[in-house]
Amino acid sequence: MRVLVAGGAGYIGSHTAVQLAEAGHTPIIADNFANSSPEVITRIESLVGKVEFHEVDLTDRRATAELFASCRPDAVIHFAALKAVGESVERPLDYYETNFGTLFSVLGAMKEAGTKILVFSSSATVYGGDHPPFTEEDEELVALSPYGYTKLASERILTDVAAATDLHIGLLRYFNPVGGHPSGTMGEDPRGIPNNLMPYLSQVAVGRREKLTVFGDDYPTPDGTCLRDYLHVMDLADAHVAALERLAKGDISVRTWNFGTGKGTSVLELREAFEKACGRPIPYEIGPRRAGDRADSWADPSRAEEELGWKASRTIDDMCADSWRWQSMNPRGYGQ
Ligand code: UDP
């Protein structure tokens, strides 16, 4: 299939573009590099050969429609959105404009071009229940930040659109994607001080940060630090291919799938695994809790296994080894 990867220069999008090509599909990447770098395209091409790339601002409806008219994709995987929870609290309007703007442009352009398949990036942040594991059937959903609200509302918008059209839509709820391509060619490259744990650990290991601050050790968990379901980005990239191929069968209107391993790992456990992977000490201190953090979150990933034949296969050690390979080979990320 010709697959438009909207936001394909981003962290998950770039790995997905590579896995699409490996699976025999043709990725067509669109990005405006708002939170990424043209170097990503070079890296993708070093792995899978020449790819079609378009520099487009996907909040621009006319430009998006023209893109679809010229490349006529069979399907869209829509990653193009802002994703930092804390920043969304400070700049809510930017988040609403960008995340809804790109969604509306893509839906409008799909209608004009007759594209029927859409895979949408959602997030486990929508789960509001007290206790994991979370299943797709959980009814207690929350929006704890403007970012979270864009995901929750986009799911609702897409559910309404699916009911009224003949589109085939997948809502993919990601848990905590980490790691990078096993070659060390691609990985996560946050701008500024990383918000997320894995890139922070990598930057401490490579000497860019002095030490990790663990946000709270008084949670009701075995070691007092928060539990999360870390998932290798290559497994997540494969999940997009599996969802796309399932939607292409044509019998699904809209369906939600969780993507996680089904296991929780604590902050201290991840730190220790990373230390082992990089062979360097990762100094840390215990700090106060971070506002908005929940104690634990992990997926029930059984629906994805039953319906897509997808199961996470990479371990926490693989995730740390690949994050470290990426960071040590590219200490400054895509800026090298
Ligand atoms: N965390 C931490 N120090 C950091 C960054 C994150 O202790 O510098 C903790 C955070 O409190 C959470 C876990 O690591 O318990 C995962 O955080 P991340 O931001 O990566 O994912 P999310 O909270 O969005 O699930």
Side-chain angles (χ1 to χ4, degrees):
M1 274 183 275
R2 287 171 58 75
V3 185
L4 184 72
V5 187
Y11 174 44
I12 305 171
S14 56
H15 291 80
T16 300
V18 165
Q19 293 308 84
L20 281 167
E22 298 286 3
H25 298 289
T26 305
I28 303 158
I29 298 176
D31 209 297
N32 66 348
F33 303 124
N35 192 25
S36 59
S37 146
E39 175 65 16
V40 179
I41 307 301
T42 310
R43 301 294 180 96
I44 292 171
E45 291 186 333
S46 77
L47 292 167
V48 297
K50 194 90 192 123
V51 290
E52 188 176 333
F53 169 73
H54 300 268
E55 187 166 349
V56 183
D57 175 357
L58 293 161
T59 60
D60 180 336
R61 289 206 194 185
R62 183 191 293 262
T64 308
E66 282 167 7
L67 170 70
F68 275 67
S70 77
C71 60
R72 297 264 149 206
D74 302 304
V76 184
I77 306 185
H78 178 42
F79 297 102
L82 300 175
K83 62 167 188 176
V85 175
E87 184 184 67
S88 79
V89 175
E90 284 152 28
R91 294 169 34 205
L93 195 53
D94 288 343
Y95 273 68
Y96 293 131
E97 281 181 346
T98 303
N99 294 7
F100 293 135
T102 55
L103 181 64
F104 294 147
S105 294
V106 165
L107 285 170
M110 286 178 71
K111 189 172 174 191
E112 270 182 49
T115 308
K116 301 290 182 200
I117 300 171
L118 174 63
V119 175
F120 178 74
S121 301
S122 188
S123 166
T125 189
V126 301
Y127 286 117
D130 282 342
H131 298 294
F134 299 120
T135 78
E136 296 87 346
E137 296 301 310
D138 287 359
E139 283 173 9
E140 204 180 327
L141 301 180
V142 292
L144 298 175
S145 64
Y147 164 76
Y149 187 62
T150 66
K151 293 302 172 187
L152 193 60
S154 295
E155 287 197 3
R156 173 62 194 266
I157 290 165
L158 289 168
T159 303
D160 292 343
V161 168
T165 61
D166 58 354
L167 297 189
H168 308 293
I169 299 178
L171 306 175
L172 278 51
R173 289 186 183 153
Y174 312 153
F175 280 69
N176 289 60
V178 296
H181 193 274
S183 62
T185 312
M186 303 191 305
E188 191 170 8
D189 184 21
R191 290 197 176 156
I193 301 171
N195 295 308
N196 298 112
L197 180 58
M198 187 66 103
Y200 205 101
L201 287 168
S202 321
Q203 291 195 6
V204 173
V206 85
R208 279 172 69 178
R209 316 263 159 219
E210 189 193 334
K211 57 175 179 275
L212 171 73
T213 302
V214 175
F215 298 145
D217 69 346
D218 57 351
Y219 285 96
T221 60
D223 66 15
T225 65
C226 297
L227 299 170
R228 292 290 182 276
D229 189 340
Y230 299 98
L231 164 75
H232 199 299
V233 68
M234 294 298 285
D235 277 328
L236 185 56
D238 291 339
H240 288 79
V241 179
L244 177 78
E245 291 177 351
R246 180 65 192 81
L247 291 169
K249 290 186 182 169
D251 58 334
I252 289 175
S253 172
V254 61
R255 192 74 171 151
T256 305
W257 290 290
N258 277 346
F259 293 106
T261 63
K263 285 192 290 281
T265 300
S266 78
V267 177
L268 292 177
E269 284 170 336
L270 194 70
R271 190 205 68 88
E272 208 175 303
F274 199 91
E275 208 169 58
K276 204 168 71 183
C278 71
R280 300 176 178 195
I282 310 276
Y284 72 100
E285 65 180 6
I286 306 291
R289 290 184 178 193
R290 179 171 69 178
D293 272 345
R294 53 173 305 136
D296 49 13
S297 172
W298 64 88
D300 174 344
S302 52
R303 180 187 282 185
E305 185 171 1
E306 281 156 28
E307 297 183 358
L308 308 176
W310 176 91
K311 195 172 191 293
S313 64
R314 283 107 171 157
T315 64
I316 287 284
D317 289 341
D318 296 332
M319 299 176 210
C320 291
D322 291 333
S323 290
W324 176 238
R325 190 171 299 108
W326 154 252
Q327 188 73 70
S328 53
M329 287 170 64
N330 306 271
R332 299 262 142 213
Y334 290 107
Q336 291 133 62

